[in-house]
Amino acid sequence: MSTPLIEVEKIGKRYGNIIALADVSTSVHAGEVTCVLGDNGAGKSTFIKILSGAHPHSDGRLVVDGEERHFASPREALALGIATVYQDLAVVPLMPVWRNFFLGSEPTRRFGRLDTGLMKKTTKSELAAMGIDLRDVDQPIGTLSGGERQCVAIARAVYFGARVLILDEPTAALGVKQSGVVLRYVARARDRGLGVVFITHNPHHAYPVGDRFMLLRRGRSMGDHPKSEITLPELTALMAGGAELEALSHELAAELGEDSAVAQELSSEVSDLRSP
C-alpha cells in the first residue's frame, strides 16, 4: 500500500488536566474516504483542529507524507495541501458565487484590478468538472441550497490545491435529497485522487462513500476499520452503543422482570441494531 497522505498514531490532546483526545490512530490515503464518526462531545472537533493545524497535538505522532509534523498554524497545514471545509462554510451570502469561490485569493490584472472574467470562467469550469451545473455564477451564493453551497466549497478547495480534504459534518443540517447531492461530490473528490476525511455522526451517510471508519467516543477511539471488515449494521450498533444497551436491557429485565414493557422495548431496539 502507498504511503498515507496523513497518518496519526496514538494522537492526543490535553488542555491542562482535561483530556480531550487520547490514543487515536488512523490513516488517510489518496483516493480514499476516511470517515470519523461520533456523537456530540466525542472528540471530532478536537481531531479536526489537530489535522487542520488549528491546535497542536499533545501526545502521539502526526505524520504527513511519511514525515512527522507539528503544525503551529492552519497555514502550515494548508501549505501541505490539507484543506478544511467547516460546517458554517464561511461564505458571504450576498456575494455572487464566483466572488465566494475566489474569496481571499482573487487574481488581478494590471494596476491591481480584479480579473473578473477569469474568475467567472474558472468558477464555472471548476464547478462543471465536479459535476455542478449552475445556470449563473453571478447569482448570490445565498440563493443556493445548503448542499450546493457545500459543493461549491469542496470544488474551491480542490481548485486551490487540496490533497487532503477535511469535511466537518457536511450533511448535518441537510435533508435527504441535499445530503445525497453532497455525498455524490464527496465521492467525486475521492475519485479525483484526494484523500477525504469525512466527519459525521450519521453512519448511513458515511457507509456508502467511506473506505475506512474510525469511531470516537468520549475522546477515545472505539476502533479503526476498513470497509471490508465492518457492515453497516455493525457500524450502526457501535455508534449507538449496542453493547451498553444490551447490558442495560439485561439489568432492566432482572429488576423489572422479563415481561416488563420497558425491558422488552429496549431488547427489541438492541435486536434491530444487530439485524442486517
Side-chain angles (χ1 to χ4, degrees), residues 152-221:
V152 170
I154 292 171
R156 181 185 190 276
V158 172
Y159 174 73
F160 282 103
R163 298 185 306 127
V164 175
L165 187 60
I166 303 171
L167 303 175
D168 176 24
E169 298 270 11
T171 60
L174 304 180
V176 174
K177 183 177 180 180
Q178 291 301 319
S179 294
V181 170
V182 172
L183 294 178
R184 185 164 67 248
Y185 297 127
V186 170
R188 285 188 176 167
R190 174 196 62 196
D191 294 342
R192 291 184 65 168
L194 275 73
V196 181
V197 181
F198 181 19
I199 312 292
T200 183
H201 64 270
N202 192 328
H204 295 278
H205 290 173
Y207 200 79
V209 297
D211 298 288
R212 175 173 293 277
F213 307 93
M214 193 265 284
L215 290 91
L216 291 175
R217 185 180 299 167
R218 298 175 185 172
R220 295 183 179 273
S221 173

Side-chain angles (χ1 to χ4, degrees), residues 6 11 16 23 49 66-67 77 108 120 166 169 181 186 188 200 206 209 212 244 266:
I6 295 180
I11 209 81
D23 296 326
K49 289 172 182 175
E67 182 177 345
T108 57
K120 290 183 179 182
I166 303 171
E169 298 270 11
V181 170
V186 170
R188 285 188 176 167
T200 183
V209 297
R212 175 173 293 277
E244 295 176 9
L266 190 54

Side-chain angles (χ1 to χ4, degrees), residues 106-269:
E106 295 87 350
T108 57
R109 295 184 293 178
R110 291 172 55 185
F111 309 115
R113 297 179 62 185
L114 293 180
D115 195 340
T116 302
L118 175 63
M119 286 190 281
K120 290 183 179 182
K121 180 180 178 181
T122 302
T123 299
K124 191 167 185 62
S125 64
E126 288 298 315
L127 293 180
M130 289 290 290
I132 308 168
D133 185 21
L134 288 185
R135 293 184 301 275
D136 184 9
V137 294
D138 276 311
Q139 66 188 102
I141 199 169
T143 63
L144 303 183
S145 68
E148 288 171 329
R149 289 197 297 271
Q150 285 281 353
C151 297
V152 170
I154 292 171
R156 181 185 190 276
V158 172
Y159 174 73
F160 282 103
R163 298 185 306 127
V164 175
L165 187 60
I166 303 171
L167 303 175
D168 176 24
E169 298 270 11
T171 60
L174 304 180
V176 174
K177 183 177 180 180
Q178 291 301 319
S179 294
V181 170
V182 172
L183 294 178
R184 185 164 67 248
Y185 297 127
V186 170
R188 285 188 176 167
R190 174 196 62 196
D191 294 342
R192 291 184 65 168
L194 275 73
V196 181
V197 181
F198 181 19
I199 312 292
T200 183
H201 64 270
N202 192 328
H204 295 278
H205 290 173
Y207 200 79
V209 297
D211 298 288
R212 175 173 293 277
F213 307 93
M214 193 265 284
L215 290 91
L216 291 175
R217 185 180 299 167
R218 298 175 185 172
R220 295 183 179 273
S221 173
M222 302 300 294
D224 184 45
H225 309 277
K227 193 169 190 173
S228 59
E229 295 179 4
I230 192 167
T231 64
L232 177 57
E234 290 170 340
L235 187 63
T236 305
L238 284 172
M239 278 286 298
E244 295 176 9
L245 286 176
E246 186 172 11
L248 180 59
S249 69
H250 288 317
E251 290 178 16
L252 286 174
E255 291 181 11
L256 304 176
E258 295 286 348
D259 296 331
S260 162
V262 175
Q264 287 183 347
E265 183 177 352
L266 190 54
S267 178
S268 175
E269 289 181 5

Side-chain angles (χ1 to χ4, degrees), residues 94-117:
L94 295 180
M95 280 188 176
V97 174
W98 62 268
R99 283 301 304 268
N100 276 278
F101 192 91
F102 281 93
L103 195 62
S105 303
E106 295 87 350
T108 57
R109 295 184 293 178
R110 291 172 55 185
F111 309 115
R113 297 179 62 185
L114 293 180
D115 195 340
T116 302

Side-chain angles (χ1 to χ4, degrees), residues 6-12 23-27 47 50-51 57-70:
I6 295 180
E7 189 171 13
V8 293
E9 299 176 0
K10 295 187 178 298
I11 209 81
D23 296 326
V24 173
S25 300
T26 191
S27 59
F47 187 69
I50 290 173
L51 293 188
H57 56 284
S58 307
D59 307 297
R61 299 174 69 237
L62 170 62
V63 180
V64 180
D65 295 326
E67 182 177 345
E68 187 169 355
R69 298 279 184 174
H70 284 81

